[in-house]
């Protein structure tokens, strides 16, 4: 089994830390800069002429492009500067308005300007003559070169420039293009701490501290907004490039980002296939381009030969290790001899459950279904085309669907699923992971759990298996209750609102409490000709992806992955489909070639192909943690999930509006109290809640459509210096009435008052218990049900233990807006000040998001952002077991728990500190 050699492995209660770098500054002023300052008029004239010439060239180029009907490019004037090498590049942004695209050797810098008249630059040049403050940076800019000149191209694409005259307009070329994505936005300076004055009164100190805290909170919001802006800019530019490439009938083959030392990468690279005409246009005119290179093993020019025999010599796929995890593919069969799959297929385990049909081949026309799923399990988002690769896991083929991608009536779904899982679970590889991209065509029922879903719940509890289940697809067209997208549009139910309709609910058996249900999100916004994607931003819910909540208000789907998006015609009658020109909207998948066609393509969409990308992460976890129960894998996958940028921005807007209204309420309440003391009547203050309510509804809808968000492989499998994840190890179980209290020491160095930085605290409980279909609520559907609570800020272990282990069945704790009830049912005093403001809360109304609660499902995730100094000395979490349907006192629920701490700005490293503290705690416990 692979051995984890990462520096930050999962701990059995774990943490991570790193410091901030000090950047050198200062230095001697260069001779050229001194000369420029000595000759302000001459240097200004030279700079003005160069800038005017570059701007004139760029405008002529744009006019020519417009006459030729060329596609629209991102707004911005691309330039090459030669500057004083010692100049802080931030000065170019601050004083001249340039966005830094890339720094080159010998003081050359590729920049772009949103100011299409270069007005700020020209003003600074004129001010430099008069020595106006802020214009001195002009002396340190030595030369300005035209955007399409040889000098800029020489630094962007020196290899390509060598064959520039031979590039043919109508031939396709494959290149790797580097695009800058950090933008000009930067994190503002942190507010200075208030000055301490000896003669200040306590009231003055308190007032000064309150003002400081208010500024600090505003700064924290600004910083978060910058992070969101960086991510949004990256996604926008990826969409821009993809759209530009598509306009030349090209294709984006791959997108990848360089490993970043900080929380966000400042660039991305796209491997694109594009015509020679489009390539020239792109290189000369796209302002944020800093590199265009030929792939190392590909000669230019070339044609796209498809997947010919010669490609087999470029790719070497090695079989998984013998003890690697196995994944059962319960689907339509697999093309087991496929070049990309064959080394990983465990052919001895293959079987068909179709009556009278023993074939295990994927006969779904035209390109298979199970074959595509198997490829996504093995490779996730990126399918290798060259080099040597060891495959991740074994693939086992359980065929349950016929050539029409349906299940014969004689094959009862629940029994077929049971037979497939038990056969592979009891086989030589003791399979625990199963991909089940099979759904009914109608939305799931809400009264009782279906037999199919209940069977998955029972198997998960009894046999320690994890079923990764697709959410199901809304058909393009169809009549109620299977209402199609076209019918929603015809009824003026627009995207994404129709995703909330009852007919769009997750399809059976995706409502299963134990299955990890996966919905789909799209890659990008697309518009070409009469075709338009539904998705408006990367990570938006796919137009076909079924939504939650599931049965009994359970969060479904729990996570989403990239399954693509349909596109629709904008002219004439509505047509919905997957036309070739919109291939960038579709996932790249392995195809069955039994009916001809390419072995890999982007030609279809579906939650069926989002689910196996999550299974891919589960297989990596099983490889990394082979001895842990599958409940740990489910917990870590959900723990790693985050909302995409657009959803986080929406939540931030909602939180700000909510906080603003809270301040207004507090102010009105204070005024009322003051007036009452004086025997007066306070003037009523009107508070408009309309925007808050609208945003609250939108945030709640996000939760229904994408659950906890998109899982991240790195977060699920490893930690970092700034992020630490603690997990339970081995099988944990509780009987009704029992309680486990787990603790995480938070070292004093981490909690130091000066560490006023944001820390994201995430908790995910994953558990399983015996189901009973005749019951109608999760607390009665399961034999034993679990929940969790944590200690409050400043609450000691002994106090928390006393609170968490009360004998009374009526005791209840609600964190966020914390309310306790004593044995008599009387409400105790609210403790909002010292409780943790969880995003969801144990019950609806207790968290920030209304209409959603973490406690209904068997995956209970919640998260909150605190300041490091607000963390308790020991973070305690209690997992409590409650009586469900079972009267058996020995009935148990099995569980796994994951707790993460992440310093969002990466200002403070915490992993090693927590690890040492855990080791010390372990010694203390062993000596007791």
């Amino acid at each position: 089994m692979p051995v984890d050699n990462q520096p930050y492995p999962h701990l059995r209660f774990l943490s991570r830390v790193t410091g901030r770098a000090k950047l050198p500054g200062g230095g001697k002023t260069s001779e050229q800069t001194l000369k420029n300052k000595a000759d302000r008029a001459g240097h200004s004239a030279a700079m003005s002429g160069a800038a005017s010439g570059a701007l004139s060239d760029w405008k002529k180029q744009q006019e020519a492009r417009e006459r030729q009907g060329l596609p629209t490019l991102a707004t911005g004037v691309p330039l090459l500067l030669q500057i004083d090498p010692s100049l802080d590049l931030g000065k170019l942004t601050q004083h001249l308005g340039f966005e830094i695209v890339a720094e080159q050797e010998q003081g050359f810098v590729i920049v772009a300007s949103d100011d299409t008249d270069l007005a700020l630059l020209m003003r600074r040049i004129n001010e430099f003559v008069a020595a106006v403050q802020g214009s001195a940076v002009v002396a340190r800019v030595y030369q300005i070169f035209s955007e399409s000149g040889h000098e800029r191209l020489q630094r962007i694409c020196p290899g390509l420039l060598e064959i520039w005259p031979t590039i043919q307009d109508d031939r396709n070329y494959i290149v790797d293009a580097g695009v800058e994505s950090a933008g000009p936005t930067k994190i503002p300076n942190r507010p200075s701490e208030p000055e301490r004055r000896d003669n200040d009164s306590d009231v003055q100190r308190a007032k000064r501290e309150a003002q400081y805290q208010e500024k600090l909170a505003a700064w924290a919001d600004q910083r978060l907004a910058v992070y969101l802006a960086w991510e949004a800019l990256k996604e926008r530019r990826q969409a821009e490039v993809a759209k530009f490439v598509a306009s030349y009938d090209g294709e984006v083959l791959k997108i990848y980002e360089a490993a970043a030392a900080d929380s966000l990468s400042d660039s991305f690279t796209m491997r694109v296939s594009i015509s020679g005409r489009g390539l020239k246009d792109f290189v000369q005119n796209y302002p944020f381009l800093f590199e265009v290179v030929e792939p190392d093993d590909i000669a230019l020019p070339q044609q796209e030969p498809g997947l010919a025999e010669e490609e087999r010599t470029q790719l070497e796929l090695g079989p998984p290790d013998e003890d690697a995890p196995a994944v059962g593919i319960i689907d339509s069969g697999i093309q087991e001899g496929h070049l990309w799959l064959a080394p990983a297929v465990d052919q001895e385990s293959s079987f068909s459950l179709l009556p009278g049909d023993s074939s295990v081949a994927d006969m779904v026309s035209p390109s298979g279904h199970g074959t595509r799923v198997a490829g996504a399990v093995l490779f996730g988002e990126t399918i290798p085309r060259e080099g040597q690769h060891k495959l991740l896991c074994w693939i086992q083929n359980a065929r349950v669907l016929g050539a029409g991608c349906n299940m014969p009536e004689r094959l009862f779904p629940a029994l077929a699923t049971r037979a497939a899982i038990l056969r592979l679970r009891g086989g030589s590889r003791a399979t625990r992971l199963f991909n089940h991209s099979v759904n009914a065509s109608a939305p799931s029922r809400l009264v009782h759990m279906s037999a199919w879903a209940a069977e998955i719940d029972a198997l998960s509890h009894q046999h320690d298996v994890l079923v990764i289940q697709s959410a199901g697809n809304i058909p393009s067209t169809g009549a109620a209750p299977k209402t199609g997208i076209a019918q929603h549009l015809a009824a003026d139910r627009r995207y994404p609102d129709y995703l909330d309709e009852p007919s769009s609910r997750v399809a059976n058996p995706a409502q299963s409490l134990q299955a990890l249900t996966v919905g789909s999100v799209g890659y990008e916004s697309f518009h070409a000709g009469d075709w338009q994607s539904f998705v408006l931003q990367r990570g938006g819910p796919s137009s076909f992806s079924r939504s939650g909540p599931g049965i009994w208000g359970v969060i479904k789907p729990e996570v989403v992955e990239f399954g693509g998006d349909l596109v629709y015609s904008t002219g004439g009658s509505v047509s919905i489909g997957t036309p070739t020109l919109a291939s960038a909207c579709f996932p790249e998948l392995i195809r069955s070639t039994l009916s001809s066609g390419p072995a890999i393509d982007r030609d279809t969409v579906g939650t069926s192909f989002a689910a196996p990308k999550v299974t891919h992460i589960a297989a990596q976890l099983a490889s990394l943690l082979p001895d842990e129960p599958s409940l740990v894998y489910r917990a870590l996958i959900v723990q790693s999930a985050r909302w995409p940028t657009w959803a986080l921005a929406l939540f931030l807007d909602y939180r700000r509006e909510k906080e603003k209204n809270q301040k207004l309420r507090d102010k009105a309440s204070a005024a009322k109290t003051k007036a009452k003391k004086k025997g007066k009547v306070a003037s009523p203050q009107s508070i408009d809640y309309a925007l808050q309510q609208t945003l609250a509804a939108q945030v709640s809808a996000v939760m229904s459509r994408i659950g906890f968000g998109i899982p991240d492989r790195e977060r699920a499998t490893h930690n970092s210096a700034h992020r630490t994840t603690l997990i339970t190890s081995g099988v944990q179980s509780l009987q009704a009435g029992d309680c486990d209290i787990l603790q995480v020491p938070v070292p004093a160095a981490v909690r130091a008052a000066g560490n006023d930085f944001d820390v994201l605290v995430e908790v995910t409980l994953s558990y399983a218990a015996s189901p009973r279909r005749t019951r109608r609520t999760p607390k009665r559907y399961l034999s034993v049900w679990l929940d969790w609570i944590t200690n409050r800020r400043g609450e000691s272990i002994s106090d928390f233990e006393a609170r968490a282990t009360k004998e009374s069945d009526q005791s209840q704790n609600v964190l966020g807006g914390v309310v306790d009830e004593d044995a008599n049912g009387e409400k105790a005093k609210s403790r909002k000040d010292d409780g943790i403001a969880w995003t969801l809360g144990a019950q609806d109304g207790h968290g920030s998001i209304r209409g959603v609660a973490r406690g209904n499902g068997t995956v209970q995730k919640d998260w909150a952002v605190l300041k490091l100094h607000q963390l308790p000395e020991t973070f305690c979490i209690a997992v409590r077991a409650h009586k469900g349907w079972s009267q058996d006192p020995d009935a148990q629920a099995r569980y796994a728990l994951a707790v993460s701490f992440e310093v969002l700005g990466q200002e403070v490293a915490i992993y090693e500190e927590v690890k040492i503290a855990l080791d010390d705690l372990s010694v203390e416990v062993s000596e007791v």
Side-chain angles (χ1 to χ4, degrees), residues 441-468:
S441 58
S444 59
R445 299 188 296 270
L446 294 179
V447 179
H448 294 291
M449 190 69 73
S450 72
W452 200 0
E455 186 63 40
I456 293 175
D457 288 340
L459 292 167
S460 301
H461 170 64
Q462 296 165 8
H463 300 284
D464 184 28
V465 298
L466 175 59
V467 177
I468 291 89

Side-chain angles (χ1 to χ4, degrees), residues 117-179:
D117 288 322
L118 300 181
L120 178 57
L121 172 63
M122 301 302 286
R123 186 170 79 244
R124 293 297 188 204
I125 291 173
N126 292 331
E127 291 174 347
F128 179 65
V129 178
V132 175
Q133 185 177 3
S135 66
V137 68
V138 174
R140 306 179 76 177
V141 178
Y142 299 160
Q143 295 188 72
I144 300 175
F145 300 92
S146 172
E147 88 290 345
S148 58
H150 178 85
E151 292 83 2
R152 176 175 174 273
L153 296 184
Q154 181 63 42
R155 285 163 177 80
I156 291 177
C157 53
L160 193 64
L161 201 58
E162 293 177 1
I163 61 168
W164 193 266
T166 66
I167 294 178
Q168 300 178 35
D169 287 352
D170 58 351
R171 297 288 295 275
N172 265 28
Y173 298 81
I174 295 177
V175 296
D176 289 342
V179 178

Side-chain angles (χ1 to χ4, degrees), residues 461-518:
H461 170 64
Q462 296 165 8
H463 300 284
D464 184 28
V465 298
L466 175 59
V467 177
I468 291 89
Q469 171 69 52
S470 54
N473 302 325
I474 302 170
S476 297
T477 183
K482 306 173 186 179
T483 308
I485 297 173
Q487 284 66 41
H488 283 303
L489 298 180
D492 203 30
R493 292 187 289 268
R494 316 308 299 175
Y495 168 87
D497 295 340
Y498 68 72
L499 297 176
D500 305 325
E501 292 293 313
S503 62
S504 300
R505 190 169 53 250
V506 294
N508 190 27
Q511 75 275 26
S512 159
L513 296 193
Q514 287 303 134
L516 182 57
T517 302
V518 184

Side-chain angles (χ1 to χ4, degrees), residues 1-6 321 323 623-626 718:
M1 189 60 60
V3 178
D4 178 32
N5 58 3
Q6 296 293 324
D321 291 334
D323 60 349
S623 178
L624 190 66
L625 304 169
H718 300 101

Side-chain angles (χ1 to χ4, degrees), residues 92-346:
L92 295 176
T93 300
Q94 180 182 356
H95 296 294
L96 303 181
F98 289 132
E99 177 174 338
I100 310 303
V101 176
E103 184 177 11
Q104 305 286 316
E105 295 179 346
Q106 300 173 330
F108 286 95
V109 182
I110 300 172
V111 300
S113 174
D114 285 337
D115 181 358
T116 55
D117 288 322
L118 300 181
L120 178 57
L121 172 63
M122 301 302 286
R123 186 170 79 244
R124 293 297 188 204
I125 291 173
N126 292 331
E127 291 174 347
F128 179 65
V129 178
V132 175
Q133 185 177 3
S135 66
V137 68
V138 174
R140 306 179 76 177
V141 178
Y142 299 160
Q143 295 188 72
I144 300 175
F145 300 92
S146 172
E147 88 290 345
S148 58
H150 178 85
E151 292 83 2
R152 176 175 174 273
L153 296 184
Q154 181 63 42
R155 285 163 177 80
I156 291 177
C157 53
L160 193 64
L161 201 58
E162 293 177 1
I163 61 168
W164 193 266
T166 66
I167 294 178
Q168 300 178 35
D169 287 352
D170 58 351
R171 297 288 295 275
N172 265 28
Y173 298 81
I174 295 177
V175 296
D176 289 342
V179 178
E180 178 267 328
S181 59
T185 309
K186 68 175 185 177
I187 296 174
N189 294 329
R190 193 171 186 269
S192 300
E193 293 190 16
E195 181 183 355
R196 298 185 181 277
R197 302 172 184 172
D198 294 338
N199 58 349
D200 276 352
S201 66
D202 291 342
V203 173
Q204 289 173 321
R205 289 194 187 97
K207 181 178 180 181
R208 208 184 310 278
E209 179 63 23
Q211 291 172 341
Y212 169 69
Q213 291 298 330
E214 187 175 339
K215 291 179 181 178
L216 203 60
W219 172 81
D221 283 344
Q222 291 171 354
R223 182 179 60 178
L224 180 57
V226 170
Y227 281 118
L228 295 174
W230 284 344
E231 184 69 17
L233 180 63
K234 180 193 70 176
E235 294 177 356
R236 185 165 68 249
R237 288 188 179 164
Q238 288 179 351
E240 286 174 357
V241 175
K243 183 177 180 180
F244 180 87
V245 171
S247 68
Y248 279 100
D249 295 326
E251 180 182 6
V252 175
L253 303 177
K254 183 185 294 185
I255 303 176
Y256 56 93
E257 298 175 41
D262 56 6
S263 60
L264 290 172
S265 174
D266 64 350
S267 65
F268 59 89
T269 301
M270 282 181 150
R271 178 164 291 183
V272 301
S273 172
I274 191 170
S275 68
R277 185 182 184 213
L279 179 60
K280 290 179 180 179
D281 188 8
F282 183 48
V283 170
Q284 289 180 316
N285 293 289
Y286 189 67
F288 309 111
L289 194 65
F290 68 88
E291 180 185 63
V292 178
V293 296
E294 307 171 27
D296 292 337
D297 57 343
I298 299 175
L300 296 178
Q302 83 288 328
Q303 293 179 330
E304 293 182 85
L307 300 170
E309 184 65 29
E310 63 188 61
E311 192 159 355
R312 296 174 180 269
T313 64
Q314 300 173 6
L315 179 68
E316 182 178 345
L317 297 174
D321 291 334
E322 186 56 31
D323 60 349
V327 176
I329 308 295
I330 305 175
D331 214 285
S332 63
I334 299 172
Q335 184 185 355
E336 296 187 348
H338 198 288
L339 171 63
W340 271 264
L341 306 181
V345 175
D346 177 16

Side-chain angles (χ1 to χ4, degrees), residues 289-400:
L289 194 65
F290 68 88
E291 180 185 63
V292 178
V293 296
E294 307 171 27
D296 292 337
D297 57 343
I298 299 175
L300 296 178
Q302 83 288 328
Q303 293 179 330
E304 293 182 85
L307 300 170
E309 184 65 29
E310 63 188 61
E311 192 159 355
R312 296 174 180 269
T313 64
Q314 300 173 6
L315 179 68
E316 182 178 345
L317 297 174
D321 291 334
E322 186 56 31
D323 60 349
V327 176
I329 308 295
I330 305 175
D331 214 285
S332 63
I334 299 172
Q335 184 185 355
E336 296 187 348
H338 198 288
L339 171 63
W340 271 264
L341 306 181
V345 175
D346 177 16
Q347 293 188 349
E348 293 183 0
S349 68
S350 303
F351 59 90
S352 170
L353 292 177
L354 297 177
D357 187 352
S358 60
S359 171
V360 295
D362 185 1
M363 302 306 297
V364 174
S365 180
S367 53
H369 188 270
T371 299
R372 295 178 186 267
V373 168
V377 169
L378 281 178
F379 302 114
E381 190 66 36
T382 305
I383 301 172
R385 300 299 213 288
E386 59 193 13
Q388 296 180 338
H389 303 269
K390 184 179 233 2
L391 294 174
L392 171 66
C393 59
W394 294 100
I395 294 297
Q396 296 179 310
N397 183 4
R399 187 180 180 215
V400 298

